[in-house]
Amino acid sequence: ETGVTQSPTHLIKTRGQQVTLRCSSQSGHNTVSWYQQALGQGPQFIFQYYREEENGRGNFPPRFSGLQFPNYSSELNVNALELDDSALYLCASSFSDGANVLTFGAGSRLTVL
Amino acid sequence: EDQVTQSPEALRLQEGESSSLNCSYTVSGLRGLFWYRQDPGKGPEFLFTLYSAGEEKEKERLKATLTKKESFLHITAPKPEDSATYLCAVPPSGNTPLVFGKGTRLSVIA
């Protein structure tokens, strides 16, 4: 059973640029959630995808967008990067069974200069 | 409004010195309280889910308990490898994604 894998692990961008982060779900999971974790804070929910559609969104602006693919992998796209977007971006997969047990990847560390 | 509050923010223990971490929540109609462990540079790792007041779950040196307003993570005779950030989380309603607290950063010194 493979876990959740994310890429890249680290990246550095400058303000105004765009970034795409990728995530492969754990085998058998059909729901993907993305979280942002700033230094010293708990993870904050960005959005969730189920059956290739966004079915929940946290308090993040539209420049944060995502995709889920038929194989349940996912992408997080952030446009017009701001300094405050510097954080660890976590992908989590789960079953759509309401149990809410999330399996997290190791994250992608984004630094915006 | 804060739905999940964890205390203390940081805790430093000597090896073998037992203690407890607190997680208080304000959601109504609790649909599970989740504990995760996060090591530096890694994603959170699931530990426990508790659903009803009075419920307890154990894993090695960790025991999680739940009341109607808070949960405790008791650590008995901790070892240095228990050093990590411990996060608790709740779904605000229905099948909504988890809302996390800020975590307690635990350091266990040999």
Side-chain angles (χ1 to χ4, degrees):
Chain A
E1 175 181 280
T2 57
V4 176
T5 57
Q6 293 187 242
S7 63
T9 54
H10 295 84
L11 69 167
I12 300 174
K13 294 285 187 177
T14 57
R15 275 186 306 174
Q17 285 189 311
Q18 178 266 343
V19 68
T20 297
L21 308 178
R22 295 177 175 83
C23 170
S24 294
S25 302
Q26 178 168 306
S27 176
H29 286 179
N30 58 11
T31 301
V32 174
S33 305
W34 286 90
Y35 285 79
Q36 180 196 66
Q37 187 175 27
L39 206 59
Q41 302 294 313
Q44 275 201 297
F45 173 67
I46 303 174
F47 44 56
Q48 178 176 282
Y49 278 82
Y50 171 66
R51 291 187 175 179
E52 302 175 52
E53 289 194 2
E54 184 182 297
N55 74 340
R57 188 177 185 93
N59 190 24
F60 280 81
R63 59 190 185 84
F64 286 77
S65 63
L67 288 171
Q68 185 185 31
F69 300 100
N71 65 354
Y72 306 123
S73 66
S74 179
E75 286 183 355
L76 164 66
N77 299 289
V78 187
N79 293 322
L81 284 168
E82 300 176 359
L83 297 180
D84 285 349
D85 295 333
S86 295
L88 181 68
Y89 288 85
L90 295 162
C91 171
S93 69
S94 59
F95 287 115
S96 57
D97 59 355
N100 250 318
V101 177
L102 303 178
T103 301
F104 283 89
S108 294
R109 170 74 63 188
L110 172 65
T111 302
V112 182
L113 302 176
Chain B
E1 68 292 333
D2 288 330
Q3 293 165 307
V4 182
T5 304
Q6 292 189 246
S7 63
E9 289 187 8
L11 181 62
R12 186 180 171 101
L13 299 173
Q14 292 292 321
E15 184 173 4
E17 179 187 2
S18 301
S19 187
S20 296
L21 314 182
N22 177 266
C23 170
S24 61
Y25 59 92
T26 56
V27 297
S28 59
L30 184 68
R31 292 168 181 82
L33 184 139
F34 296 75
W35 282 99
Y36 282 81
R37 168 190 170 131
Q38 186 174 24
D39 292 301
K42 296 188 177 181
E45 178 185 351
F46 172 73
L47 291 173
F48 307 109
T49 310
L50 302 166
Y51 288 101
S52 55
E55 187 176 359
E56 298 183 351
K57 288 194 176 173
E58 290 189 59
K59 181 179 181 179
E60 296 181 356
R61 295 174 291 282
L62 300 176
K63 183 169 78 173
T65 62
L66 183 65
T67 71
K68 289 186 177 180
K69 293 184 178 180
E70 57 193 350
S71 176
F72 293 93
L73 185 64
H74 307 278
I75 303 176
T76 303
K79 298 182 178 182
E81 53 262 42
D82 295 322
S83 298
T85 295
Y86 291 86
L87 298 161
C88 74
V90 297
S93 63
N95 192 23
T96 55
L98 297 179
V99 172
F100 283 83
K102 293 183 178 180
T104 293
R105 190 171 64 253
L106 174 67
S107 300
V108 182
I109 311 302

